[in-house]
Amino acid sequence: VTLRCDYTCAYCQVSRQTEDRSAYDMSDETAAAAVEMTFRSPAPAIKIEFQGGEPLLAFDRIKSVVEMAEERNVQEKRNLQFVIASNLSLISDEILDYCDRHGIYLSTSLDGPSSLHDRNRPKPGKNGYELTIHGIKRIQARLGRDRVSALMTTTERSLPHVKEVIDEYVRLDFRSIFLR
């Protein structure tokens, strides 16, 4: 929904833009076309995943897509799910309330313990690891353990730390680890 991001991850595949560059957000027209195209699928189940940049920087666009898709699904009657792939730095009560009301799942990146995570996923001027952990715990407490998942981006730096990475996921009560 946006190319803007508040992190500076070295391995990011997105043409990242700074937070103040809203010209890189998805337009209303593109959002409507994406919903239309999604429902052309004959699949009985549809999952819409919001990515970025940091999609929570364009939360209003997420809400408009969710509401368009839900409205369309009244007639379609598909198994409709939503996932927001986020670094969780911007998670708020308003966002959690909305996710709760609309059954939205959240996914984040967690590269392991703080030393590894912050080296791979730096947040200028802040501790990105702490923000991620805080976000995970808030979601688990408010929406339930099954409504948040995490994935790890494997790099040369992470290979010698397999046990620490697994221990971090276990400590946070995750039942699985997704690797990228």
Side-chain angles (χ1 to χ4, degrees), residues 18 31 61 97 165:
T18 56
R61 178 64 59 234
D97 289 345
V165 169

Side-chain angles (χ1 to χ4, degrees), residues 4-145:
R4 296 181 292 141
C5 191
D6 55 337
Y7 277 62
T8 57
C9 306
Y11 54 56
C12 184
Q13 72 277 10
V14 176
S15 299
R16 180 192 167 277
Q17 298 296 319
T18 56
E19 294 174 68
D20 61 338
R21 313 266 320 256
S22 60
Y24 290 90
D25 292 356
M26 180 185 285
S27 69
D28 293 336
E29 296 77 22
T30 300
V35 170
E36 174 62 32
M37 185 172 61
T38 299
F39 277 94
R40 285 187 202 151
S41 166
I46 294 175
K47 184 180 288 188
I48 297 174
E49 183 168 322
F50 300 97
Q51 295 188 8
E54 172 48 52
L56 295 181
L57 285 167
F59 189 62
D60 286 341
R61 178 64 59 234
I62 290 173
K63 292 192 300 188
S64 70
V65 170
V66 166
E67 290 160 21
M68 277 188 276
E70 286 177 339
E71 184 177 313
R72 172 77 182 258
N73 202 42
V74 168
Q75 295 152 349
E76 299 277 344
K77 299 191 181 346
R78 312 273 188 103
N79 176 1
L80 180 62
Q81 291 185 330
F82 303 99
V83 178
I84 300 172
S86 169
N87 61 39
L88 305 182
S89 68
L90 302 170
I91 205 77
S92 66
D93 289 338
E94 173 197 353
I95 291 169
L96 289 173
D97 289 345
Y98 191 85
C99 290
D100 191 25
R101 283 192 310 274
H102 294 272
I104 298 171
Y105 291 78
L106 291 114
S107 174
T108 193
S109 293
L110 179 63
D111 283 1
S114 62
S115 59
L116 183 58
H117 183 86
D118 283 342
R119 197 159 171 216
N120 285 344
R121 303 183 52 74
K123 171 137 176 77
K126 296 193 178 168
N127 184 332
Y129 169 83
E130 287 178 9
L131 291 169
T132 301
I133 298 305
H134 179 71
I136 290 168
K137 289 180 177 181
R138 279 184 78 184
I139 296 164
Q140 288 173 331
R142 176 71 200 289
L143 304 179
R145 185 179 58 79

Side-chain angles (χ1 to χ4, degrees), residues 142-162:
R142 176 71 200 289
L143 304 179
R145 185 179 58 79
D146 66 323
R147 293 280 290 279
V148 63
S149 62
L151 64 85
M152 178 207 152
T153 298
T154 306
T155 65
E156 266 186 58
R157 279 184 228 155
S158 57
L159 295 177
H161 302 284
V162 172

